[in-house]
Amino acid sequence: MNICERRTKQPEYWFVLGAVCLIAVLYYGIRAAAVLGLAAVTAVLTDFFCLFLQGRAYRTADLSNAAAAVVMALMFPATIPYSIVMLSTVFMVAVGIHAFGSRGNYLFPPAAAGYLFALISWKHEVLQFPEAGGQLALFGNQAERVPSLSQTIFTERMLRVDLLDLLMGAVASPMGTGSILLLTIGLLVMICRRNVSYWAVFGFLTGLSVLSMFGQLPASLFLSANMLLFSLIFLLGDLSALLKGSLSLLCAGTVTGMLTWYFLEHLQDI
């Protein structure tokens, strides 16, 4: 069993991931549960098929791919079409994981690879969000969709949202990335339990802060954006599992922070 498989089987990882999924379902209803479940099932089936083609046996530990699929789905709006969820999950597992030799050998966090595939292929569907708190129907949703809080921040260069709504996640955002309070607690738990390296977190914040000095948006507003705390927990967690040594983690975190700054600043240009 490799280190990445051990990480996803630790109770605190599942506790934080489960709490984020629960908040998503409470805000968006059965539609959110369906998207998360479909991503997990598609990941297991794709993983099984890829292993079959390679002549390898399926192991219970490979269910960690389902966790990566759920993380990817949490970065989508609750109104994301099911077809996009399935295609993105297949890409994540087949290309993001198995093309590099299965779990533990990939170049990028699988969830990030699947999300970027969906973003490049279906930008409008990925970057438009329903208002938080609306109980969406399982099929045929006609809910009004708006740009995310992140896009509003980067367009207007200011934060226009009530502080309590921001902390609780009652803002237009991807399903699992809105609640700053929950994600902050989750990040502290993951750092204390060594699921996420504090060296990687420090590097991430350093890279983000350095590049933000060259932009028009301060680092404090970047940290209010939907994706950042979520990425610190679930995407840097993959780096913490794959890399060893404080220097390598610091460098990887710094590069990730810089790339995140660049990505968010130029999101509209994709």
Side-chain angles (χ1 to χ4, degrees):
M1 181 182 299
N2 62 44
I3 189 170
C4 199
E5 288 167 348
R6 289 198 303 271
R7 177 182 68 82
T8 56
K9 294 177 76 69
Q10 291 181 2
E12 57 273 9
Y13 178 90
W14 292 110
F15 175 79
V16 174
L17 183 60
V20 174
C21 291
L22 177 61
I23 292 296
V25 174
L26 290 176
Y27 273 132
Y28 301 107
I30 191 172
R31 172 77 184 196
V35 169
L36 298 173
L38 180 62
V41 171
T42 303
V44 171
L45 294 177
T46 304
D47 193 33
F48 181 87
F49 182 71
C50 289
L51 289 170
F52 174 77
L53 292 179
Q54 298 171 42
R56 298 166 55 192
Y58 189 86
R59 298 173 297 168
T60 304
D62 290 323
L63 288 173
S64 52
N65 292 333
V70 170
V71 170
M72 179 195 70
L74 286 168
M75 293 190 284
F76 290 149
T79 51
I80 192 79
Y82 294 129
S83 58
I84 295 179
V85 177
M86 295 176 66
L87 291 172
S88 300
T89 304
V90 170
F91 179 89
M92 183 201 77
V93 176
V95 178
I97 295 176
H98 283 280
F100 296 102
S102 194
R103 279 197 74 84
N105 299 312
Y106 39 73
L107 295 178
F108 309 100
Y115 176 80
L116 287 175
F117 170 76
L119 179 62
I120 293 171
S121 303
W122 302 282
K123 177 181 176 180
H124 180 76
E125 288 79 1
V126 172
L127 294 181
Q128 294 292 311
F129 304 87
E131 294 290 346
Q135 298 295 302
L136 303 175
L138 193 58
F139 299 100
N141 282 289
Q142 300 297 323
E144 180 182 358
R145 294 183 292 172
V146 297
S148 71
L149 173 64
S150 297
Q151 292 172 266
T152 303
I153 290 174
F154 303 134
T155 300
E156 301 182 5
R157 303 293 173 178
M158 63 180 63
L159 185 62
R160 295 181 181 273
V161 65
D162 181 76
L163 178 60
L164 182 60
D165 288 342
L166 180 65
L167 292 175
M168 299 305 295
V171 294
S173 66
M175 288 190 293
T177 70
S179 178
I180 287 181
L181 180 60
L182 174 62
L183 292 173
T184 300
I185 295 172
L187 178 61
L188 293 175
V189 169
M190 297 287 275
I191 292 175
C192 291
R193 295 296 297 170
R194 298 184 180 180
N195 282 265
V196 177
S197 167
Y198 57 84
W199 285 107
V201 173
F202 179 74
F204 183 94
L205 296 177
T206 299
L208 190 70
S209 299
V210 169
L211 283 192
S212 67
M213 292 189 297
F214 297 95
Q216 301 178 8
L217 197 65
S220 57
L221 281 183
F222 265 97
L223 292 175
S224 301
N226 300 135
M227 286 284 193
L228 289 188
L229 287 172
F230 186 88
S231 300
L232 281 168
I233 296 173
F234 295 107
L235 302 186
L236 276 191
D238 275 334
L239 289 177
S240 298
L242 290 172
L243 300 176
K244 295 181 180 180
S246 57
L247 181 59
S248 60
L249 286 164
L250 179 64
C251 293
T254 302
V255 171
T256 303
M258 290 180 171
L259 290 175
T260 300
W261 177 89
Y262 182 85
F263 170 74
L264 291 175
E265 277 282 334
H266 299 276
L267 187 63
Q268 298 301 318
D269 299 331
I270 294 177

